[in-house]
Amino acid sequence: MKVFVISIEEENSPRLNSFLCQPFFQNGNLEYTKVGVKGGELSAKEYFELAVKGREKPLTPGELGCTLAHLAALMKFLETRDEFALILEDDAILKNNLSYQMLSDGLSKIDLPKNLLLSIGGIQMKECRKVRGEFCDFSLLDKKVLKVVPDFYHRVNYTVSYIVDRKMAKTLLEYHKPARRADDWSYLYDFDSSTNILMTYLVDHPVIEKGEGNKSLSLIENERVDNTSTLKSKYGSGIRKNLAKFKYETYKI
């Protein structure tokens, strides 16, 4: 399993060093690839073509840079022969008892669906607590795993830590034409009904409240507005959504 770290930090920055000092990285001995794109440093032409053209409201520079970094990581993953890629943002809080080997071994012991996006951090966050689905008949490192139903794909947020297989990497590269926010998977099932989003709770994320003053935590959050003009899903609204609330379960932390 390849590991990618999404970060625009310089190699010796305090933030990145703090992130890489977590036990998961085995004191710097775990191989990883850092990928970062500063949306604010793109040319005006690039920004217009990718984030403004044909949209009611544009992606912010931070949103665009984040998306491009995640897509670059997916492309680099497909250049390898690995079956899975683990993508981590540099604010992920990796629990002290979580190791790369444990995670890799845990994945090998369960029968995962193809075209898979497995979020391992985010289900505990406020925006995701209303996600509903059906619990899988397996667990991952003793944590239950929720298979999200399409009516709640729009509630799946946060790219802080997730795993994809090769098929999903290819799917996401096509899905982001035109580019969406990196964590906008609301239309994914409409785009490809063979996709599977699973969620579990292995990785934490700093809690970001409205008005957060710490720029290192809130740069993209402060830029964000609900501004997509991309295709919208037929799932997650109206009667379908209300029926799904009664039929499916939420993930209890």
Side-chain angles (χ1 to χ4, degrees):
M1 177 172 65
K2 294 295 291 184
V3 178
F4 295 91
V5 173
I6 306 298
S7 178
I8 58 173
E9 297 291 312
E10 298 299 329
E11 291 295 339
N12 293 318
S13 77
R15 175 184 173 121
L16 186 59
N17 281 337
S18 176
F19 173 73
L20 295 173
C21 281
Q22 296 179 93
F24 183 85
F25 289 94
Q26 303 166 9
N27 297 317
N29 293 322
L30 179 66
E31 183 178 343
Y32 68 91
T33 301
K34 186 172 84 72
V35 184
V37 177
K38 295 181 179 180
E41 294 183 0
L42 297 173
S43 71
K45 184 177 187 301
E46 286 177 304
Y47 179 69
F48 176 79
E49 291 292 333
L50 293 171
V52 179
K53 186 177 180 180
R55 300 174 188 265
E56 293 176 7
K57 293 183 180 179
L59 296 177
T60 68
E63 288 174 337
L64 178 60
C66 182
T67 296
L68 293 178
H70 281 268
L71 296 180
L74 295 175
M75 287 188 281
K76 290 178 181 292
F77 165 47
L78 291 175
E79 294 172 358
T80 74
R81 294 186 178 181
D82 289 72
E83 183 180 0
F84 296 108
L86 168 62
I87 300 179
L88 298 166
E89 294 181 342
D90 66 3
D91 55 356
I93 301 171
L94 299 151
K95 298 177 182 179
N96 289 339
N97 62 350
L98 178 65
S99 71
Y100 171 86
Q101 196 60 53
M102 287 171 55
L103 184 56
S104 183
D105 290 346
L107 291 172
S108 69
K109 294 175 182 177
I110 54 181
D111 186 19
L112 293 166
K114 301 298 183 183
N115 212 359
L116 168 73
L117 190 156
L118 170 57
S119 169
I120 61 173
I123 188 69
Q124 75 279 13
M125 300 295 286
K126 183 178 179 180
E127 291 84 349
C128 297
R129 289 178 192 165
K130 294 182 180 179
V131 170
R132 289 179 180 266
E134 297 177 313
F135 286 105
C136 299
D137 59 4
F138 56 78
S139 60
L140 178 60
L141 303 184
D142 297 323
K143 293 287 188 179
K144 56 190 177 181
V145 179
L146 185 75
K147 185 179 188 299
V148 183
V149 293
D151 289 286
F152 288 86
Y153 273 27
H154 69 292
R155 285 288 187 182
V156 181
N157 294 295
Y158 290 98
T159 48
V160 63
S161 54
Y162 64 99
I163 295 165
V164 293
D165 63 7
R166 299 185 68 83
K167 183 168 177 56
M168 178 57 78
K170 294 175 184 177
T171 298
L172 289 174
L173 288 170
E174 291 299 315
Y175 176 69
H176 282 279
K177 295 179 180 178
R180 294 171 174 262
R181 296 195 313 265
D183 64 353
D184 176 6
W185 297 309
S186 61
Y187 192 72
L188 189 57
Y189 191 83
D190 304 73
F191 180 78
D192 184 343
S193 61
S194 73
T195 57
N196 294 280
I197 296 183
L198 275 58
M199 301 186 79
T200 192
Y201 178 28
L202 295 174
V203 175
D204 259 320
H205 182 279
V207 176
I208 301 172
E209 301 293 349
K210 186 175 182 180
E212 170 64 56
N214 186 338
K215 298 297 184 182
S216 69
L217 295 180
S218 60
L219 181 61
I220 292 180
E221 298 295 330
N222 284 338
E223 290 181 346
R224 281 190 170 182
V225 289
D226 188 10
N227 61 8
T228 59
S229 59
T230 46
L231 291 171
K232 295 182 180 179
S233 176
K234 64 183 178 182
Y235 298 95
S237 60
I239 295 176
R240 285 190 60 96
K241 179 181 178 181
N242 290 331
L243 291 174
K245 285 182 179 179
F246 291 102
K247 185 176 180 180
Y248 298 105
E249 299 179 88
T250 58
Y251 196 102
K252 304 296 184 184
I253 303 301

